[in-house]
Amino acid sequence: MHAETTPLQALWQGARDSAPFTIVVVPFAVLFGVVGTEAGLNLAQVMGFSFLVIAGASQFAALQLMTDNAPVLIVVASALAVNLRMAMYSAALAPHLGAAPVWQRALIAYMNVDQTYALAAQRYERAPPLTVPAKVAFFFGTCIPIVPLWYAGTLSGALLGSTIPSEWGLDFAVPITFLALTAPALRTGAHVTAAVTSVTVMLLLAGLPWNLGLLVAGLAGMAAGAEVERRMTRRAREATT
């Protein structure tokens, strides 16, 4: 029988588990700071992006569209499409954290990013089970290395800008981050279908202006994954009856 994990123990466990992500989070944030200043944004605007959004993929997508002089509606719609996964993250965490106080849920919603979600979801599914306060503490623990370093990395990139040598290859952090997060999540046929569909549609529509293929690919991937999940659930239900 496992001893109950205290909130303090869960907090430090979350911080320890998320520490390896700093290897890619820091260069990812620095890269955004560099790209933002090179695109003509001032320091306040670059930092506003990272403070208000905390989502590198949608920040890069929005910034690229802004530099291409895309309509504001397209910029906002693309950023929202990239961040639609956050709604699914929230739905997945709600059964575990829904009983937490409102102020805690508000902070969790603000800091619910790919890395913190992935670690929290995996921990909540493992034994030993955690109490709600311990689950909240674990989530906040995952944020300790991630969120402050995202701010600091963006600030460093914005201040240093073009002084960072191109040989450093900071752009490696973008694909590495998403590979590290996505690969372990492809655990069911629905997950694989959604990933394959979205990638395929995005490649087929890569020539569309203003990155509109991204919007279609995201919707197509979610629809395909949901359909496979529906069929799998129906078959499982029929097998038990």
Side-chain angles (χ1 to χ4, degrees), residues 24-39 41 45-46 48-70 74-83 85-86 114-115 150 153-155 157-158 164 169-178 210-211 214:
V24 289
V25 166
V26 172
F28 200 171
V30 172
L31 179 62
F32 179 77
V34 172
V35 173
T37 53
E38 289 180 348
L41 300 183
Q45 291 168 332
V46 172
F49 250 119
S50 282
F51 269 104
L52 297 176
V53 182
I54 319 183
S58 64
Q59 290 178 218
F60 276 104
L63 186 60
Q64 180 61 53
L65 290 169
M66 289 168 62
T67 57
D68 291 342
N69 295 316
I74 297 296
V75 175
V76 174
S78 297
L80 289 175
V82 174
N83 270 358
R85 68 192 189 282
M86 302 301 174
D114 296 299
Q115 295 88 349
W150 179 255
T154 303
L155 179 62
I164 297 178
L170 295 176
D171 51 348
F172 86 94
V174 179
I176 291 297
T177 297
F178 285 97
W210 300 326
N211 219 17
L214 179 64

Side-chain angles (χ1 to χ4, degrees), residues 16-152:
R16 184 178 63 250
D17 289 353
S18 66
F21 279 112
T22 59
I23 297 173
V24 289
V25 166
V26 172
F28 200 171
V30 172
L31 179 62
F32 179 77
V34 172
V35 173
T37 53
E38 289 180 348
L41 300 183
N42 60 38
L43 181 61
Q45 291 168 332
V46 172
M47 294 308 299
F49 250 119
S50 282
F51 269 104
L52 297 176
V53 182
I54 319 183
S58 64
Q59 290 178 218
F60 276 104
L63 186 60
Q64 180 61 53
L65 290 169
M66 289 168 62
T67 57
D68 291 342
N69 295 316
V72 174
L73 181 61
I74 297 296
V75 175
V76 174
S78 297
L80 289 175
V82 174
N83 270 358
L84 273 177
R85 68 192 189 282
M86 302 301 174
M88 294 184 284
Y89 293 173
S90 298
L93 293 179
H96 300 284
L97 303 172
V102 173
W103 70 269
Q104 291 181 350
R105 283 183 280 141
L107 285 176
I108 289 169
Y110 173 65
M111 295 186 289
N112 185 18
V113 296
D114 296 299
Q115 295 88 349
T116 57
Y117 163 75
L119 291 169
Q122 291 174 14
R123 177 60 188 90
Y124 298 162
E125 293 174 1
R126 293 200 318 261
L130 298 174
T131 62
V132 171
K135 287 180 178 180
V136 171
F138 180 88
F139 186 93
F140 286 147
T142 66
C143 301
I144 291 174
I146 300 296
V147 177
L149 285 177
W150 179 255
Y151 300 148

